[in-house]
Amino acid sequence: MLTADDLGHALVAQQRTGERLGELVARLGLASEEAVAESLARQLGLEYAAPPLLPDPGAVALVPSGLALRRRILPLSVTPRGIRVAMVDPLDLTAVDDLQFHTGRRVTAAVAPACALREAIRLTYGLPPAPSSERREAPEPDGVRTEGEPTAAEELGSLAADGPVVRLVDQLLGDAAEAGASDLHLEPRGSGLVIRARVDGILRMVTEVPGTERASVLSRIKVMAGMDISVRMRPQDGGFRLVRGSRHLSVRASTLPVEEGEKAVLRILDPSQVPSGLDELGLSPDDLARLRAVIRMGRGVVLAAGPTGSGKSSTLFGAMGEVDRSRQNVVTLEDPIEYRVVGVNQVQVHPRAGLTFPAALRAVLRQDPDVIMVGEIRDRETAEIAMAAAVTGHLVLSTIHTTDAPGGITRLLQMGVPPHLVAGGLSGIVAQRLVRVRCGDCGGRADGCPSCHEGYRGRTGVFELLIMDEALRDEVMRGAGTEILRKRAREGGMGSMASDARRKVAEGVTTPHEVARVLHRDPGSRPPCARCGNELSPGARGCPACGKEAEAVCRCGTRLQGDWRFCPECLRPATPPC
């Protein structure tokens, strides 16, 4: 319908007004609105809704008049799982999200001419026509009412049902981000919804949402995360971006059916909190120097060990900050990608599509890598490929779920990785936990301090660093157990998490109470000395720090039980330890 001159004239006008080309062509009279809408529908592969637009009453009942006017949407028909609507702009994803949230149904869009749609909305909802004096020829900036947009009176308060819920969810997310929460839990309790936030590793009560808003809050989160709001009986995952001032956060959402309804957990990821180097983790000067030496060698497997939530990923990103990303090819395999890192080729693993950790790792090895970060060593195949890559001269960074550093070696062997690959490929293991840091403003007293929670603000790591040496490699080849490996590692300079924690207590970084909370159930830690609290080595007869005997021992070397009056070997009288 357009000549070259028509199109040129429209493009010049578009530079001045900023309108969409189709709307401008229709306003200038170069083509009809019907022709523009029909062409757009054909281009997008969508249905064209030709006038007159005749909506189904059941569909109209689901969409308030204010929403229809504000988003230029006319509901045409409805099914139990979907709703068909006429739109001027079917690519308006915000409008689609709002409608899905309101109706709980999937939206199918058809393209309709603007004037026909505007008139159909007016007639359907019984609204008065907009005064001609309010009609405008060019679009206006955001926040200014344009043609077809309702006044406050025309909206008739129909947005009151969704506005508070949207504001509530935004406030919950904003408050969680402001408090530095890592997770936000939404848990059904009775008919309501309990909101808890995990700050510095501790879940704390935030508020409780009444039952009347429970379904709306969960649906709003699903819409934001790109989930199917009609699905409530199976788990779903999704995510979205969250902007708070200058902070650009990522939110990973997960839902799970539970006995009383549906639970949602939002993981809040702040890229600004990713450590840029190992010196930000809290390692002791000696451990920092030893770990940096291993990283700078540029080969071998370095593992971060610990349970979920112990800061392993932060350690990996800190290690990547030590490598020269401008002169080396650094590749990561993650599931999912949590933080974007400049200068790093990040690969999202997709097991359902066949891109598993082993398959992706094999592909990466054909990409001339220098440094490879694997999100987690989950199986024998991944572990074997990683160890083989390390033997051939690559630096591989990964994580493993074990309680302590020597247990990481045992875990690899239990997976079925050949001992010669473990001995030849493994360079070091960093076992760690996170403890809360005393508040710098109140000194940990927490009396009315607005900056902290219970006297703590932020967390730091306590570490146990195992560096592979020849003695350890020999023990691995001989098939030694965890206790022997632990003993050899201590002889080679490995400290303990308990010792590192005591150092941080002595420096005033954290408190004994916090250390006891985190480490008191650690199977890898040894019993403390009853006199000075120093950790005792396996099989030790006494404390190396203060000399107190760990148990009663006869002069002949026989360990005595508590109820013995005489030594069964030499018959000397049994005496209690000093």
Side-chain angles (χ1 to χ4, degrees), residues 23 34-35 71 130 137 154 213 276 297 304 356 396 427 439 458 486 529 541 557:
E23 295 176 351
E34 290 80 3
R71 296 301 186 188
E137 291 188 349
E154 287 171 337
E213 298 180 2
S276 59
M297 283 191 343
T356 60
V396 181
S427 292
C439 175
R486 184 176 290 113
C529 171
R541 293 179 54 182

Side-chain angles (χ1 to χ4, degrees), residues 508-533:
V509 174
T510 189
T511 64
H513 179 270
E514 175 66 6
V515 170
R517 181 186 70 84
V518 174
L519 295 184
H520 78 289
R521 292 183 179 177
D522 183 6
S525 61
R526 298 289 99 197
C529 171
R531 177 184 294 168
C532 69

